[in-house]
């Protein structure tokens, strides 16, 4: 998991290849008030044959929330991350 900043938690959900890197500009500007974190999507590393549907990515995002020891977080998303965020909301 990638984490930067301190303060209120923000789950950053990017496109399939993004991780936390697309959010680093915002995270740097807001790092004194917000802690951005992101869980890389499964199935994107060579040799990883894990399932990789939106529901699986949402499960990974829930695990990221658990790892950050938070039940609630703001969510920012783009591209595939929007679908993952909607799945989280649905649950």
């Amino acid at each position: 998991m990638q984490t930067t900043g301190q303060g209120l938690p923000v789950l950053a959900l990017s496109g399939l290849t993004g991780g936390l890197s697309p959010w680093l500009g915002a995270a740097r500007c807001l790092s004194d008030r917000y802690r951005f974190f992101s869980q890389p999507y499964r199935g994107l590393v060579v040799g990883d044959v894990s399932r990789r549907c939106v529901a699986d990515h949402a499960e990974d995002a829930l695990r990221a929330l658990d790892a950050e020891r938070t039940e609630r977080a703001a969510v920012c998303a783009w591209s595939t991350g929007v679908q993952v965020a909607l799945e989280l909301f649905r649950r």
Side-chain angles (χ1 to χ4, degrees), residues 57-91:
H57 297 317
E59 279 297 319
D60 293 342
L62 289 173
R63 285 192 199 98
L65 288 169
D66 288 343
E68 286 294 307
R69 300 177 194 266
T70 185
E71 291 182 13
R72 294 172 42 157
V75 176
C76 56
W78 71 279
S79 191
T80 303
V82 174
Q83 295 174 41
V84 176
L86 289 171
E87 177 64 18
L88 287 172
F89 179 71
R90 187 187 70 79
R91 293 177 183 201

